[in-house]
Amino acid sequence: MSPGPRKDPVAVETEVREKIHLEILKRTGAYHANDHVLLPSGQHTTEYIEKTLVTTEPSFTEGLGAVIAKHFAPWPVDVVLSTGPGALILSHCVARAHPSRPVVVYGAKGLSGGKRRVTIPVEFQRLVRPASKVLLIEDLVSTGSTLTLLINLVEQLGAEVVGVGCLWRRTSVELTGKPVFSLVSRDFPTYDPEECPLCKKSVPLNEEFVRRRHARRPSSVQEPKAAL
Ligand SMILES: [Zn+2]
């Protein structure tokens, strides 16, 4: 009997690694699979990731950060730059595990005149300086537009982007010219409701993630008003 086609060992290792990382994300409650989910865009999909839950388990985050740090260990890194506060915990874990002992800073995302904008706070500008080696960290890379802006900003400051590390990259995203390492590289199909194969099979639609945004409010408390 002739042996079946052998898979490339590197590809197998990547596949196994991704499975492990997906299991970790499932354990945090961040990753939902085999579902029929309504997205905020109105489209339907089979998988969903809740960004805010991704780094709620410190030991998992430390483990995932160490994997990214190990990948970039051969490169000297002066600064780990988080794309925003959302990826900051992961950035800390990457920096902690990187042999260069880099500092950690973060950018801020916003909109200006309907266009995306990224900013590095004034306090951090002395750390991202000419010839600094910068590793960018993002949690989920969905379109890559924030990262592209941040790469431009770092280069405008005269620093060098050594690469991009992220938890999850949608495979449709290309970031040309920079090495990108993602723990999970995975795209999931999104469907217009009228073309959705799950709707056609009458699988119940999970509207929880969208409904929750409208129906539930975050827990909060406010300082009482001063008596007049
Ligand atoms: Zn559907």
Side-chain angles (χ1 to χ4, degrees):
M1 225 173 86
S2 64
R6 281 225 186 139
K7 278 194 171 178
D8 169 15
V10 176
V12 171
E13 197 202 303
T14 307
E15 214 176 289
V16 170
R17 199 184 62 206
E18 294 211 356
K19 271 194 186 144
I20 294 169
H21 296 149
L22 279 176
E23 279 309 310
I24 291 173
L25 294 177
K26 255 188 211 165
R27 295 255 311 262
T28 63
Y31 173 58
H32 303 260
N34 304 318
D35 204 336
H36 179 200
V37 175
L38 174 66
L39 293 171
S41 64
Q43 291 193 303
H44 298 183
T45 185
T46 52
E47 295 174 50
Y48 188 75
I49 187 133
E50 288 189 274
K51 278 173 74 154
T52 38
L53 292 178
V54 161
T55 52
T56 47
E57 291 276 353
S59 59
F60 294 165
T61 316
E62 283 177 11
L64 296 172
V67 176
I68 297 175
K70 191 177 168 199
H71 178 83
F72 286 103
W75 284 273
V77 173
D78 303 307
V79 179
V80 170
L81 171 58
S82 165
T83 52
L88 189 54
I89 300 172
L90 178 65
S91 302
H92 171 96
C93 294
V94 173
R96 191 79 182 88
H98 194 279
S100 301
R101 297 282 179 235
V103 294
V104 181
V105 301
Y106 57 88
K109 307 174 204 182
L111 283 174
S112 176
K115 299 280 183 193
R116 282 174 203 266
R117 180 191 182 90
V118 298
T119 314
I120 295 178
V122 174
E123 296 84 343
F124 295 147
Q125 284 173 7
R126 70 180 179 84
L127 298 168
V128 185
R129 52 180 187 259
S132 298
K133 306 242 183 292
V134 180
L135 174 61
L136 299 187
I137 298 295
E138 175 66 300
D139 40 19
L140 269 69
V141 180
S142 171
T143 66
S145 48
T146 302
L147 277 171
T148 303
L149 283 174
L150 204 52
I151 290 168
N152 291 344
L153 178 56
V154 168
E155 289 177 347
Q156 273 176 32
L157 294 169
E160 184 194 334
V161 174
V162 298
V164 176
C166 54
L167 275 184
W168 188 303
R169 178 169 70 103
R170 292 191 76 172
T171 41
S172 48
V173 178
E174 285 289 336
L175 287 166
T176 47
K178 303 293 169 203
V180 180
F181 176 73
S182 54
L183 298 178
V184 179
S185 300
R186 196 176 166 87
D187 227 343
F188 33 88
T190 50
Y191 307 103
D192 289 329
E194 51 281 5
E195 285 162 12
C196 175
L198 297 154
C199 283
K200 289 199 173 99
K201 284 190 219 160
S202 305
V203 178
L205 181 64
N206 180 356
E207 299 180 16
E208 164 76 9
F209 304 114
V210 168
R211 206 185 312 130
R212 196 161 60 188
R213 284 188 172 203
H214 300 296
R216 290 196 202 158
R217 288 172 176 273
S219 315
S220 67
V221 68
Q222 196 174 337
E223 203 175 20
K225 285 197 177 123
L228 293 172

